[in-house]
Amino acid sequence: MAASSPLPAAQDLPTLRAQLQGLLRFLRQALPISKAHTVDFYTESVWEQLVDLPPETVLEVLRETAEGRTAEARPLAEAEGGAGISGFSKIFCETSQKLVSVEAFALAAKYYSIQNLGICTPFEQLLVALRGIKEEKTADSVKTDEFMNLKKSHEVQAMSELISSIADYCGIKQVIDLGSGKGYLSAYLSLKYGLKVYGIDSSNTNTHGAQERNRKLKKHWKVYHTQSNLDVNELPFKMAKEKKTQDQVKNKTDIQGVCNNSPANQGMMSTSDFLPDFSSSVISNIRKQMENLHVHSHREENLCLENAFSLIDRLPINAIELTSSSKIHKRKMSEANKERRKTTSKSNESNIYSPLTSFITADSELHDIIKDLEDCLMVGLHTCGDLASNTLRIFTSNSKIKGVCSVGCCYHLLSEEFEDPDKECTQEKWGFPMCHYLKEERWSCGRNARMSACLALERVAVGQGLPTESLFYRAVLQDIIKDGYGITKCDRYVGKTYSKSSSFLDYVRKSLKKLGLDEFKLPEKMIMDYYEKYKPRMNELEAFNMLKVVLAPCIETLILLDRLCYLKEQEDIAWSALVKLFDPVKSPRCYAVIALKQQQ
């Protein structure tokens, strides 16, 4: 590696497997809650089957648990001391398997979350280790929210900083961005950090859009740099103007005094008497401001040298005395500027972003897609479904890829090897599970559980609650479809019908039409009778969804631990870890799987 600084210690494979075992013990009991679909909430009597408590009690206890006001703090501490699930009081009834203790359920879910298990490497700690004794780069502080939304801006800035640090650590200049989408991360890595980036996406539309967006981004970048240079070059004029404003009255009075007292003295006055005072203190001030513009990268050092010349050239002729040595220094700096321009010209050819269209699988050969493939990093920002798993598989199988940084999303789109064991399938490589332990267990979550893993607990905790009414409308609609049309399972979606509806009746009519059913088959009164029947039980649906939200981090922990264990099982991986990159309120899928290979 290009740097010799040790990376933060990460948990080993046996420790991670032990945590997986404890998590599975809890999920074997709790998973039915995540597997239940809210669409079938009333038709399949989900609350009666899975919960042996009033919904009011569940909601109140969950609120108290979130505020830390429950009496179950001691069992959590015991569990953290190594007792695991056995450290909690009884959560589910041994006979009915129904939930009987909300306090213990919530605390167990918290215990088996990523943050509590201590399997994350702190982001800042990793950055410090990657940089070693080198000082932090102070690259251009462009406001990314000017050309992307706040969420994307937050993600791109954090992830690009980490990728750039990993690239420097490994001595790598090429980055492969899988599932690059609109190309925000790829373009930013190229423009800000000078990396050669290939962004690969399966959509031609995304690729063409990324090309156009990158063109606009380059224009924005050019304008930004032009403005920055103008701000630096105009510094003496601004200072001169300020000085002139301050001394205008004084200079006028002094000149008038000289003229009145001794007209002959007017001819003795030098030109500098009418110019702003570039005294040693003013020049010193300019120099200090110029020093503040210096940054640590070679590229920006040369930029500051060029701007320094602009300052010298614009100062009055008698403001700075150019000795023979300073003239030589200026000539050397001019030569350095010429060399910088040559270097910049060459770097502009190599530090580029190239959007490509290709559908990536675990068996994709990068050499067939990228002709000038060299030692590189593979990255992915919110790679969807199996693409996150395939990113890791390609990384482990290709010797050219020296590191990986992957943030996955859309867990519900993962393929599961053991979800439907009776179904014949020729697929050999699955999105889940990846590690040996879960394969041996033949573990399966199911689509509904993976869908619930996408729920954002942190957002709900800060008041960005679930859309309870729309979920309630859909659950009641399902009962209407079952009774009125004889359809027990409906795989079609009604989409965003709720947001376009003025009332429950309007929602039902529009949804039935979208599903291809006769929307006028049932009279208005019959439809509204269903609404009145279930309205008093809306709190059951709200309470049940909160249980799913509380459990969501455990499902995500399982998926991420599976990926991390897979990397730990590979012989040539020198270091691997999970890192929390983003603020989970801004970006709920906030964990990156990172790994570096052993270097020859």
Side-chain angles (χ1 to χ4, degrees):
M1 294 185 183
S4 57
S5 304
L7 294 176
Q11 292 187 351
D12 58 17
L13 184 58
T15 302
L16 293 176
R17 281 180 175 170
Q19 291 172 331
L20 265 179
Q21 290 172 353
L23 176 57
L24 292 193
R25 281 197 298 272
F26 173 56
L27 287 180
R28 283 190 179 96
Q29 295 178 298
L31 204 59
I33 292 175
S34 291
K35 284 186 172 183
H37 202 305
T38 52
V39 167
D40 304 315
F41 188 75
Y42 296 120
T43 57
E44 297 186 4
S45 303
V46 171
W47 185 264
E48 292 85 347
Q49 285 187 27
L50 299 177
V51 185
D52 195 18
L53 295 163
E56 298 84 4
T57 300
V58 172
L59 289 170
E60 178 60 28
V61 171
L62 290 179
R63 277 192 290 267
E64 290 178 353
T65 304
E67 296 169 3
R69 295 189 286 117
T70 63
E72 294 288 338
R74 188 181 57 81
L76 178 61
E78 291 175 358
E80 289 175 341
I85 192 67
S86 61
F88 299 105
S89 59
K90 186 169 63 175
I91 301 175
F92 296 91
C93 175
E94 294 181 1
T95 305
S96 68
Q97 304 302 311
K98 293 182 181 181
L99 177 67
V100 293
S101 175
V102 186
E103 298 97 329
F105 173 84
L107 289 167
K110 180 180 178 181
Y111 173 73
Y112 286 111
S113 65
I114 290 177
Q115 287 297 100
N116 193 71
L117 288 176
I119 56 179
C120 267
T121 297
F123 181 31
E124 292 300 327
Q125 183 182 348
L126 177 58
L127 284 181
V128 170
L130 289 169
R131 290 168 183 153
I133 61 173
K134 295 182 294 182
E135 295 186 30
E136 180 181 354
K137 287 185 178 180
T138 55
D140 311 307
S141 55
V142 178
K143 294 181 179 179
T144 53
D145 55 9
E146 292 180 5
F147 46 88
M148 60 183 88
N149 63 42
L150 291 175
K151 176 179 179 290
K152 185 60 66 177
S153 173
H154 172 67
E155 295 164 351
V156 166
Q157 288 190 73
M159 192 162 181
S160 63
E161 182 180 14
L162 177 59
I163 292 168
S164 171
S165 298
I166 295 174
D168 285 347
Y169 185 87
C170 297
I172 285 172
K173 292 296 182 184
Q174 190 178 83
V175 175
I176 313 300
D177 182 9
L178 294 188
S180 54
K182 296 180 179 180
Y184 289 123
L185 176 65
S186 297
Y188 199 70
L189 285 169
S190 174
L191 289 170
K192 180 170 181 177
Y193 293 103
L195 295 167
K196 185 175 182 178
V197 185
Y198 285 97
I200 305 176
D201 197 88
S202 61
S203 168
N204 257 321
T205 302
N206 279 345
T207 300
H208 292 311
Q211 289 171 335
E212 178 62 19
R213 197 169 290 103
N214 189 46
R215 183 187 66 79
K216 293 178 181 178
L217 184 55
K218 283 182 178 179
K219 184 178 179 181
H220 173 96
W221 213 269
K222 185 176 181 181
V223 169
Y224 167 80
H225 278 293
T226 302
Q227 184 61 48
S228 297
N229 293 342
L230 286 174
D231 290 344
V232 172
N233 292 334
E234 291 173 0
L235 177 60
F237 288 131
K238 291 179 181 179
M239 295 185 66
K241 185 176 181 180
E242 291 173 4
K243 184 67 177 175
K244 183 175 181 180
T245 302
Q246 294 171 2
D247 296 346
Q248 189 174 15
V249 177
K250 180 180 181 296
N251 288 342
K252 183 176 180 180
T253 303
D254 290 344
I255 293 170
Q256 287 175 345
V258 171
C259 292
N260 292 337
N261 295 332
S262 178
N265 288 341
Q266 185 175 356
M268 298 170 60
M269 295 168 63
S270 68
T271 309
S272 61
D273 291 320
F274 297 94
L275 291 172
D277 178 18
F278 281 90
S279 62
S280 59
S281 62
V282 176
I283 294 172
S284 174
N285 199 1
I286 294 175
R287 285 174 178 159
K288 286 179 181 178
Q289 294 200 40
M290 284 302 302
E291 288 171 1
N292 290 335
L293 295 169
H294 286 194
V295 291
H296 304 294
S297 69
H298 179 67
R299 172 176 57 81
E300 293 186 341
E301 261 182 25
N302 287 333
L303 176 62
C304 289
L305 290 175
E306 184 179 18
N307 291 328
F309 286 134
S310 300
L311 277 173
I312 294 171
D313 292 340
R314 295 184 181 193
L315 288 174
I317 196 167
N318 62 344
I320 297 179
E321 181 182 356
L322 291 176
T323 63
S324 58
S325 61
S326 64
K327 290 177 181 177
I328 293 171
H329 182 59
K330 180 176 180 179
R331 189 159 54 247
K332 287 181 178 178
M333 291 172 71
S334 296
E335 292 171 0
N337 285 335
K338 290 179 181 178
E339 186 61 31
R340 180 191 63 79
R341 292 188 186 99
K342 292 179 182 178
T343 305
T344 302
S345 177
K346 291 179 180 178
S347 67
N348 285 340
E349 296 174 4
S350 60
N351 301 339
I352 57 174
Y353 161 43
S354 303
L356 303 171
T357 302
S358 181
F359 183 80
I360 298 297
T361 69
D363 300 316
S364 294
E365 288 292 341
L366 289 182
H367 285 283
D368 297 335
I369 304 169
I370 302 169
K371 301 306 178 185
D372 62 338
L373 184 67
E374 58 190 55
D375 286 354
C376 64
L377 298 180
M378 179 166 280
V379 304
L381 173 54
H382 290 153
T383 45
C384 188
D386 282 0
L387 184 55
S389 306
N390 290 337
T391 297
L392 302 183
R393 286 196 173 97
I394 295 171
F395 161 67
T396 58
S397 64
N398 193 312
S399 61
K400 287 288 186 182
I401 308 172
K402 303 303 180 183
V404 67
C405 179
S406 172
V407 181
C409 70
C410 304
Y411 300 136
H412 59 293
L413 296 179
L414 282 170
S415 61
E416 281 201 72
E417 184 173 1
F418 306 109
E419 183 174 10
D420 192 355
D422 298 328
K423 183 179 178 181
E424 292 186 8
C425 187
T426 58
Q427 185 172 338
E428 295 181 358
K429 296 177 181 177
W430 302 81
F432 179 87
M434 296 184 72
C435 73
H436 292 321
Y437 175 71
L438 290 181
K439 282 181 176 291
E440 291 169 357
E441 291 288 321
R442 300 181 65 83
W443 184 268
S444 171
C445 291
R447 189 179 189 279
N448 290 339
R450 286 182 279 110
M451 176 75 82
S452 71
C454 299
L455 295 171
L457 174 61
E458 290 82 2
R459 284 186 172 179
V460 173
V462 297
Q464 300 179 29
L466 293 170
T468 302
E469 188 175 68
S470 65
L471 295 172
F472 171 71
Y473 276 18
R474 183 64 184 88
V476 177
L477 172 67
Q478 192 69 14
D479 205 36
I480 293 173
I481 293 172
K482 177 186 175 183
D483 293 346
Y485 297 85
I487 301 173
T488 55
K489 289 292 181 182
C490 183
D491 297 329
R492 299 181 64 184
Y493 299 95
V494 299
K496 299 180 180 180
T497 305
Y498 173 80
S499 62
K500 303 172 185 177
S501 304
S502 58
S503 64
F504 177 73
L505 178 64
D506 187 38
Y507 170 83
V508 172
R509 300 282 195 212
K510 288 178 177 177
S511 298
L512 291 173
K513 182 178 180 180
K514 191 164 188 176
L515 294 171
L517 301 173
D518 181 4
E519 69 267 36
F520 296 109
K521 179 181 177 180
L522 303 179
E524 177 179 336
K525 185 180 184 305
M526 182 178 291
I527 293 174
M528 293 310 297
D529 284 345
Y530 277 93
Y531 177 81
E532 295 300 330
K533 174 185 176 181
Y534 289 112
K535 186 178 179 181
R537 296 177 57 193
M538 188 189 294
N539 60 352
E540 291 179 0
L541 183 61
E542 181 184 2
F544 191 78
N545 280 325
M546 285 305 302
L547 291 174
K548 290 172 73 95
V549 169
V550 169
L551 193 56
C554 294
I555 312 295
E556 183 174 33
T557 298
L558 178 66
I559 293 169
L560 294 176
L561 269 177
D562 173 53
R563 293 171 182 176
L564 185 58
C565 285
Y566 167 79
L567 291 172
K568 298 285 185 184
E569 291 166 357
Q570 311 307 310
E571 293 182 357
D572 61 342
I573 304 297
W575 185 87
S576 56
L578 292 175
V579 176
K580 185 179 180 180
L581 281 188
F582 313 134
D583 177 347
V585 175
K586 294 179 181 177
S587 181
R589 304 284 73 75
C590 60
Y591 294 103
V593 180
I594 302 170
L596 302 178
K597 285 180 181 173
Q598 297 173 355
Q599 301 300 305
Q600 298 298 326

